[in-house]
Amino acid sequence: MSPNDVSADSEDTLDLRLPEELLALFEEEGTGGHRPWPRRTGTPASAFDHTSDDLLDRIADWGPTATSAGAFQLVPVRLERDRALICRWMNDPAVAAFWKLAGPESVTEEHVRARLAEDGRSVPCMGTLEGTPMSYWELYRADLDPLARHYPARPHDTGIHLLIGSMADRGRGLGGTLLRAVADLVLDKRPACARVVAEPDLRNIPSIASFLSAGFHFFAEVDLPAKRAALVVRDRSLRHVM
């Protein structure tokens, strides 16, 4: 599931009446590193990562969550620790087709640094399963993102981008399991958030299927500058029935 650099330059957008503080924000517009991964999945992320991400209610402190595949945890990215591994994943042809970030480590670094520079509106994370990093995530404030110009955004809508790193972890339902777990984490840890959203490329059928199996429902097709996307939504009010 790729961000594909959603741009704010599209003329074909909805005339949304966003709060003034949100509009102001729009205008403002691996493993060989120095910090090893913790050996125990129960170690709080805040013990080794001090990312400030108040706009997303401090993901670093969310801790692990139980899934049918094992203990899963979101750990905010540290470039010196994670750059090489993320770059390797981005150069997998199946990933590169949608993320479009294949190339040397500098390409990965530039992308991640741009996310880290967004004042907490976007938090890139490694997803660890039983303590092993196996996925890359970006959680972001969809209501503060250019995406909000393409659908009727609500305050605190939270967006997700995801890639599963290893081919061995794909095609066996793990994506849906982890997406459900992360969406539940967002709704549990962010009480102001009523919806979790995503915008997978319409051509990425496996990604769309994973979101639907995770309790998201199809909301609309949206034309974004870099892709035509399926906007999918998981509503707090429906989380226990879908």
Short mmCIF file of all heavy atoms in Angstrom, two decimals, residues 162-194:
data_model
loop_
_atom_site.label_atom_id
_atom_site.label_comp_id
_atom_site.label_asym_id
_atom_site.label_seq_id
_atom_site.Cartn_x
_atom_site.Cartn_y
_atom_site.Cartn_z
N LEU A 162 1.22 0.64 4.04
CA LEU A 162 1.86 -0.58 4.52
C LEU A 162 2.59 -1.31 3.39
O LEU A 162 2.10 -1.36 2.26
CB LEU A 162 0.79 -1.53 5.10
CG LEU A 162 1.16 -3.01 5.25
CD1 LEU A 162 2.24 -3.21 6.31
CD2 LEU A 162 -0.08 -3.84 5.56
N LEU A 163 3.75 -1.86 3.72
CA LEU A 163 4.35 -2.88 2.86
C LEU A 163 4.85 -4.02 3.74
O LEU A 163 5.36 -3.81 4.83
CB LEU A 163 5.49 -2.31 2.00
CG LEU A 163 6.85 -1.98 2.62
CD1 LEU A 163 7.74 -3.22 2.73
CD2 LEU A 163 7.57 -0.94 1.76
N ILE A 164 4.61 -5.24 3.26
CA ILE A 164 5.13 -6.44 3.91
C ILE A 164 6.48 -6.74 3.28
O ILE A 164 6.59 -6.87 2.06
CB ILE A 164 4.18 -7.63 3.71
CG1 ILE A 164 2.79 -7.32 4.27
CG2 ILE A 164 4.76 -8.89 4.37
CD1 ILE A 164 2.73 -7.18 5.76
N GLY A 165 7.51 -6.85 4.10
CA GLY A 165 8.86 -6.92 3.57
C GLY A 165 9.23 -8.20 2.85
O GLY A 165 9.80 -8.17 1.76
N SER A 166 8.91 -9.34 3.44
CA SER A 166 9.37 -10.62 2.90
C SER A 166 8.30 -11.27 2.03
O SER A 166 7.11 -11.29 2.39
CB SER A 166 9.75 -11.56 4.04
OG SER A 166 9.96 -12.87 3.57
N MET A 167 8.73 -11.81 0.91
CA MET A 167 7.79 -12.54 0.05
C MET A 167 7.14 -13.69 0.80
O MET A 167 5.98 -14.04 0.56
CB MET A 167 8.52 -13.04 -1.20
CG MET A 167 7.61 -13.66 -2.24
SD MET A 167 8.50 -14.13 -3.74
CE MET A 167 9.10 -12.53 -4.30
N ALA A 168 7.86 -14.29 1.73
CA ALA A 168 7.33 -15.42 2.49
C ALA A 168 6.16 -15.02 3.38
O ALA A 168 5.35 -15.86 3.78
CB ALA A 168 8.44 -16.04 3.34
N ASP A 169 6.07 -13.74 3.69
CA ASP A 169 4.98 -13.26 4.55
C ASP A 169 3.77 -12.77 3.76
O ASP A 169 2.78 -12.33 4.35
CB ASP A 169 5.48 -12.11 5.44
CG ASP A 169 6.42 -12.59 6.53
OD1 ASP A 169 6.22 -13.72 7.02
OD2 ASP A 169 7.36 -11.85 6.89
N ARG A 170 3.86 -12.82 2.44
CA ARG A 170 2.75 -12.34 1.61
C ARG A 170 1.88 -13.51 1.13
O ARG A 170 2.34 -14.63 1.04
CB ARG A 170 3.28 -11.58 0.40
CG ARG A 170 4.16 -10.40 0.75
CD ARG A 170 4.73 -9.74 -0.50
NE ARG A 170 5.93 -8.96 -0.15
CZ ARG A 170 6.93 -8.75 -0.97
NH1 ARG A 170 6.90 -9.24 -2.20
NH2 ARG A 170 7.97 -8.03 -0.58
N GLY A 171 0.64 -13.21 0.83
CA GLY A 171 -0.24 -14.19 0.22
C GLY A 171 -0.77 -15.25 1.16
O GLY A 171 -1.31 -16.26 0.71
N ARG A 172 -0.67 -15.02 2.48
CA ARG A 172 -1.19 -16.01 3.42
C ARG A 172 -2.08 -15.38 4.48
O ARG A 172 -2.27 -15.93 5.56
CB ARG A 172 -0.05 -16.80 4.08
CG ARG A 172 0.99 -15.96 4.80
CD ARG A 172 2.16 -16.82 5.25
NE ARG A 172 3.17 -16.10 6.02
CZ ARG A 172 3.19 -16.05 7.34
NH1 ARG A 172 2.24 -16.64 8.04
NH2 ARG A 172 4.15 -15.41 7.97
N GLY A 173 -2.59 -14.19 4.17
CA GLY A 173 -3.53 -13.54 5.07
C GLY A 173 -2.92 -12.70 6.16
O GLY A 173 -3.64 -12.10 6.96
N LEU A 174 -1.59 -12.63 6.20
CA LEU A 174 -0.93 -11.89 7.26
C LEU A 174 -1.22 -10.39 7.17
O LEU A 174 -1.39 -9.71 8.19
CB LEU A 174 0.57 -12.15 7.23
CG LEU A 174 1.41 -11.56 8.36
CD1 LEU A 174 0.92 -12.05 9.71
CD2 LEU A 174 2.88 -11.93 8.16
N GLY A 175 -1.29 -9.87 5.93
CA GLY A 175 -1.57 -8.45 5.76
C GLY A 175 -2.88 -8.05 6.40
O GLY A 175 -2.96 -7.04 7.12
N GLY A 176 -3.94 -8.83 6.16
CA GLY A 176 -5.23 -8.52 6.76
C GLY A 176 -5.19 -8.60 8.27
O GLY A 176 -5.79 -7.77 8.97
N THR A 177 -4.48 -9.60 8.80
CA THR A 177 -4.36 -9.76 10.25
C THR A 177 -3.70 -8.54 10.88
O THR A 177 -4.18 -8.00 11.89
CB THR A 177 -3.54 -11.02 10.58
OG1 THR A 177 -4.24 -12.16 10.10
CG2 THR A 177 -3.30 -11.16 12.07
N LEU A 178 -2.60 -8.08 10.27
CA LEU A 178 -1.87 -6.96 10.84
C LEU A 178 -2.61 -5.64 10.63
O LEU A 178 -2.60 -4.76 11.50
CB LEU A 178 -0.47 -6.88 10.23
CG LEU A 178 0.42 -8.10 10.50
CD1 LEU A 178 1.82 -7.87 9.93
CD2 LEU A 178 0.49 -8.43 11.98
N LEU A 179 -3.28 -5.48 9.48
CA LEU A 179 -4.06 -4.26 9.26
C LEU A 179 -5.19 -4.13 10.28
O LEU A 179 -5.46 -3.05 10.79
CB LEU A 179 -4.62 -4.25 7.84
CG LEU A 179 -3.62 -3.89 6.75
CD1 LEU A 179 -4.19 -4.22 5.37
CD2 LEU A 179 -3.24 -2.41 6.83
N ARG A 180 -5.85 -5.24 10.58
CA ARG A 180 -6.90 -5.20 11.60
C ARG A 180 -6.30 -4.82 12.96
O ARG A 180 -6.87 -4.01 13.70
CB ARG A 180 -7.61 -6.54 11.68
CG ARG A 180 -8.79 -6.56 12.68
CD ARG A 180 -9.49 -7.91 12.68
NE ARG A 180 -10.22 -8.14 11.45
CZ ARG A 180 -11.47 -7.73 11.24
NH1 ARG A 180 -12.12 -7.06 12.19
NH2 ARG A 180 -12.08 -8.00 10.10
N ALA A 181 -5.15 -5.41 13.28
CA ALA A 181 -4.52 -5.12 14.56
C ALA A 181 -4.12 -3.65 14.67
O ALA A 181 -4.32 -3.01 15.71
CB ALA A 181 -3.30 -6.01 14.75
N VAL A 182 -3.55 -3.10 13.58
CA VAL A 182 -3.12 -1.70 13.62
C VAL A 182 -4.32 -0.77 13.65
O VAL A 182 -4.33 0.23 14.39
CB VAL A 182 -2.19 -1.40 12.43
CG1 VAL A 182 -1.94 0.11 12.31
CG2 VAL A 182 -0.86 -2.13 12.61
N ALA A 183 -5.36 -1.07 12.88
CA ALA A 183 -6.56 -0.24 12.93
C ALA A 183 -7.16 -0.25 14.34
O ALA A 183 -7.60 0.79 14.85
CB ALA A 183 -7.59 -0.72 11.91
N ASP A 184 -7.17 -1.41 14.98
CA ASP A 184 -7.66 -1.48 16.35
C ASP A 184 -6.79 -0.66 17.30
O ASP A 184 -7.29 0.02 18.21
CB ASP A 184 -7.71 -2.94 16.82
CG ASP A 184 -8.93 -3.69 16.29
OD1 ASP A 184 -9.91 -3.04 15.89
OD2 ASP A 184 -8.89 -4.94 16.28
N LEU A 185 -5.47 -0.73 17.09
CA LEU A 185 -4.57 0.08 17.92
C LEU A 185 -4.89 1.57 17.76
O LEU A 185 -4.95 2.31 18.75
CB LEU A 185 -3.12 -0.18 17.51
CG LEU A 185 -2.38 -1.33 18.18
CD1 LEU A 185 -1.02 -1.53 17.53
CD2 LEU A 185 -2.22 -1.09 19.68
N VAL A 186 -5.07 2.01 16.52
CA VAL A 186 -5.38 3.42 16.28
C VAL A 186 -6.65 3.82 17.02
O VAL A 186 -6.71 4.84 17.71
CB VAL A 186 -5.52 3.70 14.77
CG1 VAL A 186 -6.05 5.11 14.53
CG2 VAL A 186 -4.17 3.52 14.06
N LEU A 187 -7.69 3.01 16.89
CA LEU A 187 -8.97 3.35 17.51
C LEU A 187 -8.89 3.26 19.04
O LEU A 187 -9.57 4.03 19.74
CB LEU A 187 -10.06 2.43 16.97
CG LEU A 187 -10.35 2.60 15.47
CD1 LEU A 187 -11.31 1.53 14.99
CD2 LEU A 187 -10.89 3.98 15.15
N ASP A 188 -8.06 2.36 19.56
CA ASP A 188 -7.90 2.26 21.01
C ASP A 188 -7.06 3.39 21.57
O ASP A 188 -7.37 3.93 22.65
CB ASP A 188 -7.24 0.92 21.38
CG ASP A 188 -8.17 -0.27 21.20
OD1 ASP A 188 -9.40 -0.07 21.16
OD2 ASP A 188 -7.65 -1.40 21.08
N LYS A 189 -5.98 3.74 20.87
CA LYS A 189 -5.02 4.71 21.41
C LYS A 189 -5.34 6.15 21.01
O LYS A 189 -4.79 7.08 21.58
CB LYS A 189 -3.61 4.36 20.92
CG LYS A 189 -3.15 2.95 21.28
CD LYS A 189 -3.03 2.75 22.77
CE LYS A 189 -2.45 1.38 23.09
NZ LYS A 189 -2.29 1.17 24.56
N ARG A 190 -6.22 6.32 20.01
CA ARG A 190 -6.57 7.67 19.55
C ARG A 190 -8.08 7.85 19.71
O ARG A 190 -8.83 7.74 18.74
CB ARG A 190 -6.16 7.89 18.10
CG ARG A 190 -4.69 7.63 17.79
CD ARG A 190 -4.23 8.42 16.56
NE ARG A 190 -4.32 9.84 16.83
CZ ARG A 190 -5.05 10.70 16.12
NH1 ARG A 190 -5.76 10.28 15.09
NH2 ARG A 190 -5.09 11.99 16.44
N PRO A 191 -8.56 8.15 20.90
CA PRO A 191 -10.00 8.25 21.13
C PRO A 191 -10.69 9.31 20.30
O PRO A 191 -11.90 9.21 20.05
CB PRO A 191 -10.10 8.56 22.63
CG PRO A 191 -8.74 9.02 23.05
CD PRO A 191 -7.77 8.34 22.14
N ALA A 192 -9.95 10.31 19.83
CA ALA A 192 -10.58 11.35 19.00
C ALA A 192 -10.78 10.90 17.56
O ALA A 192 -11.48 11.57 16.79
CB ALA A 192 -9.73 12.63 19.02
N CYS A 193 -10.15 9.79 17.18
CA CYS A 193 -10.22 9.31 15.80
C CYS A 193 -11.43 8.39 15.64
O CYS A 193 -11.54 7.37 16.33
CB CYS A 193 -8.94 8.56 15.44
SG CYS A 193 -9.00 7.69 13.86
N ALA A 194 -12.32 8.72 14.71
CA ALA A 194 -13.50 7.90 14.46
C ALA A 194 -13.33 7.00 13.24
O ALA A 194 -14.12 6.07 13.06
CB ALA A 194 -14.73 8.79 14.26
#
